[in-house]
Amino acid sequence: MTPTVRVLVVDDSALMRKLIPQILQTDGSIQVVGTAMDGNFGLKKIEELKPQVVTLDLEMPGMGGLEMLKEIMRRHRVPVIVVSSHSTQGASVTLQALSLGAFDFVAKPHDVWARMPEIAQELIAKIKAAAQSRGVRVRPVPETPQRAEKVSLDAKKPPTRVVAIGISTVTGRFSRNHSRGATYARRIHGNVCPAAG
């Protein structure tokens, strides 16, 4: 028998707290053990329910998703799948979450009610992968003097080139530290130059 993956869903939207469990329960190897509407409540649920994976919205009142993620990484080391809005602002916060240790992400569709089932298999697959892993991505390597010097030199280049280099540098950073970072950055920012490194 395949072991059941215990999942906690954290989202301030009552609709998402209903839809995500419905999606996950279509797979017999996943059990949604609880939901939480904000970061503080979510941390209490982790203590109480001992989930193996957490799905996490990032934009929540009170303790937001990034603050909760930091606490999870510090106290529990439970793998986290970010469920983020598919927007430029959502992309920026999602990349920040990946750098803090989130395992992976799934972009919320614009029409959540009608199109949420379309991401079902992606979300289920990533939850299973997170449960089978150690669950925590390595944090990005701190800036070295050599890398700081490179950024300084890039800043002196013409403006049009600076934009391309800036996006490429960020994309390259996440492609080295997270398998999906570069893909996500390209999806949000469009056709940019190839990732550095």
Side-chain angles (χ1 to χ4, degrees):
M1 176 181 286
T2 304
T4 300
V5 179
R6 296 167 56 82
V7 178
L8 173 68
V9 175
V10 183
D11 200 301
D12 68 323
S13 165
L15 176 61
M16 296 303 293
R17 294 198 305 273
K18 179 180 179 180
L19 288 179
I20 292 177
Q22 285 180 351
I23 285 173
L24 299 182
Q25 287 167 1
T26 62
D27 190 292
S29 64
I30 295 178
Q31 177 189 8
V32 177
V33 294
T35 62
M37 64 181 65
D38 61 37
N40 285 312
F41 195 35
L43 291 173
K44 292 177 182 177
K45 288 284 189 175
I46 291 176
E47 294 277 3
E48 175 188 347
L49 301 172
K50 308 297 183 188
Q52 294 166 273
V53 180
V54 173
T55 69
L56 179 62
D57 182 25
L58 295 178
E59 298 179 11
M60 300 184 293
M63 179 184 282
L66 290 179
E67 290 78 11
M68 181 182 177
L69 177 60
K70 291 175 185 176
E71 288 300 306
I72 292 174
M73 295 299 103
R74 185 175 68 87
R75 293 158 52 181
H76 302 290
R77 309 291 285 182
V78 177
V80 173
I81 304 294
V82 169
V83 182
S84 173
S85 61
H86 194 158
S87 65
T88 301
Q89 181 179 0
S92 174
V93 180
T94 298
L95 290 175
Q96 191 175 350
L98 294 175
S99 75
L100 291 172
F103 181 82
D104 211 328
F105 70 91
V106 172
K108 289 180 183 176
H110 293 296
D111 186 353
V112 172
W113 181 261
R115 301 187 61 188
M116 197 65 183
E118 295 179 12
I119 70 169
Q121 292 308 309
E122 180 185 4
L123 182 56
I124 287 170
K126 289 180 177 181
I127 285 173
K128 290 181 177 179
Q132 293 172 0
S133 74
R134 295 183 178 181
V136 179
R137 295 296 189 192
V138 177
R139 293 172 184 265
V141 177
E143 293 290 332
T144 63
Q146 291 81 3
R147 292 179 67 183
E149 182 181 353
K150 181 179 184 300
V151 172
S152 176
L153 290 174
D154 288 341
K156 298 178 182 178
K157 296 183 180 181
T160 55
R161 183 61 176 167
V162 169
V163 172
I165 290 294
I167 295 173
S168 175
T169 301
V170 171
T171 305
R173 177 180 179 182
F174 282 99
S175 67
R176 286 192 292 272
N177 290 284
H178 190 278
S179 60
R180 298 298 299 275
T183 301
Y184 192 52
R186 283 194 291 270
R187 183 187 305 169
I188 296 303
H189 295 291
N191 186 24
V192 300
C193 61

